[in-house]
Amino acid sequence: MSDKVTQIAGRIGRALIAGCLVLSLAACVERIRAHGYVPEADDLDQITVGVDTRDTVAEVLGAPSTAGVTDDSGYYYVRTMVRHVGALEPKVVDREVVAVTFDDGGVVQNIERYGLEDGRAVVLSRRLTDNKTEGNGIIAQLLRNLGNFTAGSLLN
């Protein structure tokens, strides 16, 4: 009887190990995800520089991914392809941007297409608030705040 139990336990153990191997390999499968929309060349050919306006561009090409941030100078259509492999950090493998710029009267001034090779890294700065709690644990912070409130402040 113990030989049968040992054989069954061995089979179950091997099946579990095989299942774990299959699941771990499945987690490493490469996935490509597309984000955004870029109009086709045929659609861009329908836009005439110097004639079409913001409204006609939006009607022909659809709503842009984004518009000029500060001066509303253009429409930008952006498509990005991102590769995901298992638990590794996702990597951008392709990016395409179509920029439709307008003059002050809202008439199309230029249409440009950019690829990933045309891009450059932009350093963003961010402002951080120093809370002066470095080296203090959560208990020390809580105990320090015990005297900083009154019963009246709890009612408000």
Side-chain angles (χ1 to χ4, degrees):
M1 180 94 164
S2 66
D3 288 338
K4 285 189 174 189
V5 171
T6 305
Q7 288 177 350
I8 292 173
R11 288 181 186 161
I12 291 174
R14 285 191 296 273
L16 286 174
I17 290 172
C20 288
L21 285 174
V22 168
L23 287 176
S24 63
L25 287 175
C28 295
V29 172
E30 177 182 79
R31 293 175 300 161
I32 303 289
R33 299 181 81 189
H35 303 274
Y37 158 74
V38 171
E40 298 293 326
D42 295 340
D43 295 333
L44 290 173
D45 291 341
Q46 295 178 28
I47 304 299
T48 306
V49 175
V51 176
D52 284 307
T53 63
R54 293 180 196 280
D55 294 333
T56 57
V57 169
E59 185 178 309
V60 172
L61 302 180
S65 301
T66 186
V69 178
T70 57
D71 58 359
D72 203 27
S73 62
Y75 285 169
Y76 303 96
Y77 298 88
V78 182
R79 186 191 75 220
T80 303
M81 305 289 278
V82 181
R83 181 178 64 147
H84 299 267
V85 179
L88 298 177
E89 183 177 351
K91 182 180 178 187
V92 175
V93 292
D94 186 30
R95 178 174 294 131
E96 190 173 358
V97 177
V98 171
V100 181
T101 54
F102 302 98
D103 62 13
D104 293 335
V107 177
V108 175
Q109 184 178 18
N110 196 10
I111 300 173
E112 296 176 289
R113 184 181 296 267
Y114 301 101
L116 185 61
E117 64 280 353
D118 298 321
R120 62 178 184 262
V122 177
V123 178
L124 299 176
S125 64
R126 52 183 189 169
R127 296 172 18 183
L128 298 174
T129 303
D130 183 17
N131 59 7
K132 301 201 185 336
T133 59
E134 187 175 320
N136 294 327
I138 186 75
I139 302 297
Q141 292 176 34
L142 289 172
L143 291 175
R144 189 178 312 112
N145 287 325
L146 282 178
N148 291 338
F149 61 90
T150 64
S153 69
L154 293 176
L155 298 175
N156 291 335

